[in-house]
């Protein structure tokens, strides 16, 4: 006995066949009947389905409203007995979350949806849908292997229960997985199977999707004639179904293919047809994209004035409809056309001056819009236009500013590019954690979502843009701690340069293709901007240099090449500079600058000089960090924390941690004691040293980190919860390695620590040997202990290692990121020494001079080791020790030490300071006492050196 199909079944059939309007009309009828029959279950399923279909055709606001209505409908029903309804809602909510980039939340919703139906009769029907959508999330995040595993599990279930519709969809997605893996043969097989299966079963929409993807394979294989035929057939299918929007998109795809083949006439004809179809369907987003493509084609055939006119018309329409995504793109395109026109001869000077000014304004407008949209501007679907990635906007603006002789403008654009990319690397979800929201409760991301939603009315988008700008301004003004992360306001060049210490210079590099911009800054300002060209891809030279180091190549030719490109232009300005901060860019972050070398001049000069012997290096992720790095800080730091060998498989790391801990006077946390809470729970330690495995996550660099005893300590953990320490040492494999993100903000452990308030970070660029690593850090901490700044301690330790291990692979991997002037003072040890000094003073007052003198000598030796001769604690102890020498008759030693202490006090405190005056008086008395003693008599009327203020004869002289 056959069952009459329901309107819900018919709606699904219409949707699968491409009749979206008909499908939505039937769902509206189902909703009306459910209202009339007071049937909440039917109403719920209709709302959920309509939400999904609305989302698929781009009506995001309507989809969200329908999903909210479905959730309200479900909340009116008892939970028990309606688990399947909740599972359906969670599935749709998970898909919606994926579309907004909230992949973590999406995965949690989908997993809960699967859990609700597991073990029930509905599992075989529902679970494959969940698996497919979980796989879609993995694909979007670039994890094809995880996606493949889930899709195969879903396919196995649908094959068992005979779900042809599900099988067709899963085979299509497996084809996309193979495409992402670069396996075109397997992708082709999957798409052909999917298309054939869907066509035979009467699911033309699924067949059309598979055929579209199959065309991608053909295109990559160079089978362009077959692609044209396939796209033409698909266009006919969408035209027959009345789906004007899909038909128009196929026309645009055919136009793009013709453009790639160099058939400009055909491409223009197809884009014009597509434009009219999109205009007919009211799809302004795609219509303006067609205009954009037509402008670019006019440029290809050499008609720049026509290209400019088309682009300006498209920008006017984009502004009218507040299509922000197109606005930044068109601002850039128009500026690019004007820059091309400037290269032509014969245009009046007045017109050329106007084009130049307008091109600059257009590039800045494009950059402003990109930054206004924050991380959303990097969504993959927005990068699939004929235009290259958004980095090209910054690069074009930088090159134009440089060509016009405006180095300050070029420099600030470089800094803006670095800043934006940090936000993109965080991603939408991470930014939402810091999103303060507007007074009305609207969050930044909510405003952006609505701006990008094609279903939002044009007049409403203009209001949203104003709200977005207002919210940014309010965040900067009222929530500076949040603004540091979400709205980083760049300092001016004047503010950057004012922060640079007088004895330090800053060398900034920015890579654009085969060219490198070199900026030189110091306290007086930006001195030089040079553009250097390299003859081959930079990434290739970096790989070669790293290979030379790994192979222990004595020549290291690439090291000399990099010196010529990155340092030689600035060397005339660096002749008297020893302390240098470098700001790398792109692949340059992966280089050990200390291993660059040059051939010094002079008959007696060595054949080569490494930069490790020329500069004390530090690196920063951007020059804009300088005002923060060198800001005055009154923070008090606690005892050091040292962790090593968390997994018990790095005996060298355990030995290193034990040696470091002994030098710092703290216990080492080894093996199972080297845990996450010991790191994240550290209360502002002066030093935080970790010797452990470092791992790099290419799928999500923010999940890179250190493997501790109880799990991973990630970059994300450091950004959100990391302790602000004076010095952080990450002595693990590749702890300094990070990924180049769009616009090039490095996202790594070291950079995360700096953003969290740490002053300086020492990290490694590659795995070090146990012997060289232990030796380096032993010398490094010994240098720090005598008060040497961290950059000089790095240079000294590197030199000591190079005298034992002459290969660069052993001495070059250690890098310093942050404040090079950082001095590490062990506060807990100093406090102990102060207590001991007080006990020594008590011994003096009781007349136990010999014991007190010995104590003072021990205390002073330890203070010299920890903080150096000029520290106030050391000077105070030196004064007391000299007094003890005088009381015990060691007058020559007393005078010598008083003289040394007074000279230091004059240097540190000034000649008129009270402390200096006190030591000067003590020196005068000691000299007089010595002189009387040499004459054979003691002056019993002198003030007693014990500090009591009494005459010697009435104090300790009585004894």
């Amino acid at each position: 006995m056959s069952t009459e199909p329901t309107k819900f079944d018919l709606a699904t059939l219409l949707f699968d066949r491409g009749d979206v309007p008909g499908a939505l009309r039937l769902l509206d009828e189902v909703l009306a009947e459910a209202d009339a029959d007071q049937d909440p279950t039917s109403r719920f399923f209709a709302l959920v389905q309509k939400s999904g279909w609305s989302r698929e055709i781009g009506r995001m606001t309507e989809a969200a409203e329908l999903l909210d209505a479905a959730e309200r409908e479900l909340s009116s029903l008892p939970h028990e007995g309606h688990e399947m309804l909740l599972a359906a809602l969670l599935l749709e909510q998970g898909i919606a979350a994926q579309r907004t980039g909230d992949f973590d939340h999406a995965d949690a919703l989908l997993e809960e949806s699967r859990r609700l139906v597991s073990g029930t009769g509905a599992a075989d029907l529902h679970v494959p849908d969940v698996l497919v959508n979980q796989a879609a999330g993995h694909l979007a995040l670039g994890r094809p292997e995880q996606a493949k595993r889930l899709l195969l599990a879903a396919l196995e279930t649908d094959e068992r229960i005979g779900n042809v519709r599900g099988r067709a969809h899963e085979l299509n997605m497996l084809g996309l997985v193979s495409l992402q893996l670069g396996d075109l043969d397997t992708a082709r097989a999957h798409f052909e199977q999917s298309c054939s299966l869907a066509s035979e079963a009467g699911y033309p929409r699924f067949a059309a999707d598979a055929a579209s993807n199959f065309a991608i394979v053909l295109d990559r294989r160079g089978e362009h004639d077959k692609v044209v035929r396939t796209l033409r057939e698909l266009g006919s299918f969408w035209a027959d179904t009345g789906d004007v929007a899909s038909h128009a998109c196929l026309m645009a795809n055919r136009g793009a293919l013709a453009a790639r083949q160099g058939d400009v006439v055909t491409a223009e004809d197809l884009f014009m047809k597509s434009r009219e179809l999109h205009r007919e369907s009211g799809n302004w987003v795609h219509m303006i994209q067609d205009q954009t493509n037509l402008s670019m084609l006019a440029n290809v055939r050499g008609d720049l004035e026509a290209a400019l006119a088309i682009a300006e018309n498209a920008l006017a329409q984009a502004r009218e409809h507040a299509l922000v995504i197109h606005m930044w793109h068109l601002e850039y395109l128009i500026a690019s056309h004007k820059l091309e026109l400037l290269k032509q001869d014969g245009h009046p000077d007045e017109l050329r001056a106007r084009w130049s000014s307008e091109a600059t304004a257009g590039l800045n407008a494009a950059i402003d819009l990109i930054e206004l949209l924050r991380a959303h501007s990097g969504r993959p679907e927005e990068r699939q236009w004929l235009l290259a990635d958004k980095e090209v906007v910054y690069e074009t603006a930088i090159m134009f500013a440089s060509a016009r002789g405006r180095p300050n403008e070029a420099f600030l654009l470089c800094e803006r590019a670095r800043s934006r990319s940090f936000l993109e690397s965080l991603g939408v979800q991470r930014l939402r954690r810091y999103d303060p929201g507007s007074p009305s409760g609207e969050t930044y991301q909510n405003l952006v979502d609505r701006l990008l939603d094609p279903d939002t009315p044009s007049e409403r988008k203009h209001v949203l843009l104003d709200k977005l700008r207002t919210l940014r301004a309010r965040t900067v003004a009222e929530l500076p701690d949040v603004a540091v992360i979400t709205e980083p306001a760049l300092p001016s060049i004047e503010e950057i340069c004012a922060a640079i210490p007088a004895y330090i210079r800053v060398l900034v590099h920015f890579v654009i293709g085969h060219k490198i911009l070199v900026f030189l800054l110091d306290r007086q300002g930006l001195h030089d901007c040079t553009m250097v060209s390299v003859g081959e891809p930079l990434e290739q030279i970096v790989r070669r240099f790293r290979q030379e180091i790994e192979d222990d190549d004595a020549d290291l030719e690439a090291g000399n090449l990099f010196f010529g490109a990155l340092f030689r232009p600035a060397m005339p300005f660096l002749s008297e500079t020893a302390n240098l901060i470098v700001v790398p860019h792109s692949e340059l972050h992966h280089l050990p600058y200390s291993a660059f070398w040059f051939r010094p001049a002079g008959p007696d000069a060595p054949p080569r000089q490494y930069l490790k012997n020329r500069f004390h290096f530090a690196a920063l992720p951007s020059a804009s960090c300088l005002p923060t790095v060198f800001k005055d800080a009154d923070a008090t730091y606690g005892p050091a924390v040292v962790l090593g060998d968390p997994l018990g498989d790095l005996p060298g790391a355990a030995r290193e941690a034990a040696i470091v801990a002994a030098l710092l006077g703290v216990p080492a946390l080894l093996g199972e004691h080297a845990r996450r809470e010991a790191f994240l729970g550290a209360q502002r330690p002066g030093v935080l040293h970790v010797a452990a495995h470092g791992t790099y996550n290419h799928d999500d660099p923010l999940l890179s980190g250190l493997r501790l005893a109880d799990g991973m300590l990630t970059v994300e953990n450091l950004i959100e919860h990391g302790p602000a320490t004076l010095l952080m040492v990450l002595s693990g494999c590749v702890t300094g390695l990070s990924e180049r993100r769009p616009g090039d903000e490095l996202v790594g452990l070291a950079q995360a620590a700096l953003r969290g308030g740490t002053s300086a970070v020492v990290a490694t660029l590659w795995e070090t040997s146990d012997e060289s690593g232990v030796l380096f850090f032993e010398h490094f901490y010994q240098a720090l202990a005598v008060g040497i700044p961290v950059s000089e301690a790095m240079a000294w330790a590197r030199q000591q290692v190079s005298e034992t291990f002459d290969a660069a692979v052993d001495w070059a991997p250690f890098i310093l990121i942050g404040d090079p002037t950082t001095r590490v003072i062990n506060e807990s040890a100093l406090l102990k020494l102060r207590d001991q000094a007080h006990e020594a003073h008590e011994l003096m007052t009781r007349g136990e001079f010999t014991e007190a003198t010995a104590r003072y000598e021990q205390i002073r030796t330890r203070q010299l080791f920890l903080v150096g001769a000029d520290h106030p604690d050391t000077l105070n102890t030196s004064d007391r020790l000299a007094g003890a020498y005088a009381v015990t008759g060691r007058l020559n030693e007393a005078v010598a030490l008083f003289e040394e202490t007074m000279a230091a006090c004059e240097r540190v405190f000034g000649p008129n300071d009270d402390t200096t005056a006190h030591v000067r008086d003590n020196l005068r008395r000691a000299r007089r006492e010595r002189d009387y003693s040499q004459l054979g008599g003691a002056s019993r009327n002198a003030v007693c050196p014990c500090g009591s203020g009494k005459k010697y004869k009435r104090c300790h002289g009585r004894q």
Side-chain angles (χ1 to χ4, degrees), residues 186 224 292 313-314 455 472 577 624 672 725 830 900 913 946:
T186 304
H224 302 304
T292 302
N313 178 266
D455 211 34
R472 288 187 75 187
T577 299
S624 300
E672 64 179 14
T725 181
L830 280 181
E900 179 186 328
D913 185 80
C946 76

Side-chain angles (χ1 to χ4, degrees), residues 925 928-929 940-952:
R925 294 188 187 98
R928 188 167 58 239
E929 192 80 16
R940 297 179 54 76
N941 289 317
V943 175
C944 185
C946 76
S948 66
K950 299 178 182 179
K951 289 184 178 182
Y952 177 65

Side-chain angles (χ1 to χ4, degrees), residues 291 295 305-319 330 333-335 337-338 354-355 358:
Q291 287 274 81
S295 173
E305 293 186 7
L308 180 59
I310 295 170
E312 287 177 334
N313 178 266
L315 178 59
Q317 292 175 327
R319 285 174 175 163
L330 288 163
L333 188 59
I334 290 168
H337 290 333
K338 289 174 180 175
R354 179 163 65 84
W355 281 340
E358 289 173 352

Side-chain angles (χ1 to χ4, degrees), residues 128-307:
D129 281 347
V130 174
L131 294 175
V132 165
N133 285 289
Q134 286 180 315
H138 285 301
L139 266 182
L141 292 171
R143 298 197 285 253
E145 291 295 348
Q146 292 95 318
K148 181 178 179 180
R149 187 180 66 251
L150 293 170
L151 288 169
L152 289 174
L155 182 61
E156 181 183 4
T157 300
D158 280 336
E159 284 177 340
R160 176 166 49 82
I161 65 174
N163 183 355
V164 178
R165 183 176 185 271
R167 287 170 57 202
H169 188 34
E170 287 141 14
L171 286 166
N172 186 34
M173 287 198 65
L174 281 167
L176 293 174
V177 167
S178 298
L179 265 183
Q180 198 169 100
L181 291 170
D183 184 353
L184 294 182
D185 290 337
T186 304
R188 179 174 188 158
H190 283 314
F191 291 141
E192 286 179 330
Q193 282 182 281
S194 175
C195 188
S196 174
L197 194 63
S199 297
E200 291 171 5
Y203 297 115
R205 188 179 186 87
F206 282 89
D209 285 343
S212 296
N213 291 327
F214 177 60
I216 297 173
V217 175
L218 294 174
D219 187 37
R220 291 189 184 179
R221 286 185 172 280
E223 300 177 45
H224 302 304
D225 291 341
K226 290 183 179 179
V227 176
V228 172
R229 286 199 301 273
T230 302
L231 293 180
R232 188 181 292 120
E233 291 168 5
L234 286 169
S236 300
F237 165 74
W238 292 121
D240 292 343
T241 62
D243 190 335
V244 177
S246 295
H247 186 202
C249 287
L250 258 296
M251 281 282 189
N253 288 339
R254 288 175 60 193
L257 177 62
R260 284 201 299 276
Q261 292 177 303
D263 187 352
V264 175
V265 174
T266 300
E268 285 186 314
D269 179 61
L270 289 165
F271 278 131
M272 281 190 266
K273 290 178 179 177
S274 172
R275 178 182 60 185
E276 295 313 309
L277 287 170
H278 281 134
R279 192 196 305 274
E280 178 187 334
S281 63
N283 191 333
W284 295 104
V285 172
H286 288 149
M287 192 208 79
I288 292 173
Q289 186 169 324
D290 292 331
Q291 287 274 81
T292 302
N293 290 331
L294 285 166
S295 173
M296 296 172 75
L297 286 171
N299 186 15
V300 169
R301 58 182 169 79
D303 192 348
L304 275 172
E305 293 186 7

Side-chain angles (χ1 to χ4, degrees), residues 545-596:
F545 186 40
R546 293 288 293 261
Q547 193 62 50
E548 289 173 353
I549 292 174
E550 187 176 334
D551 294 343
D552 195 12
D553 185 335
D555 291 333
L556 288 183
E557 284 301 326
N560 182 246
L561 190 156
F562 274 124
F563 170 81
L566 303 178
F567 281 82
R568 183 171 287 121
M571 287 305 283
F573 301 93
L574 299 174
S575 58
E576 299 180 5
T577 299
N579 296 280
L580 187 64
I581 293 174
V582 292
V583 180
H585 182 238
S586 186
E587 288 83 4
L588 301 181
H589 281 286
H590 300 259
L591 293 175
Y593 280 61
S594 62
F596 295 171

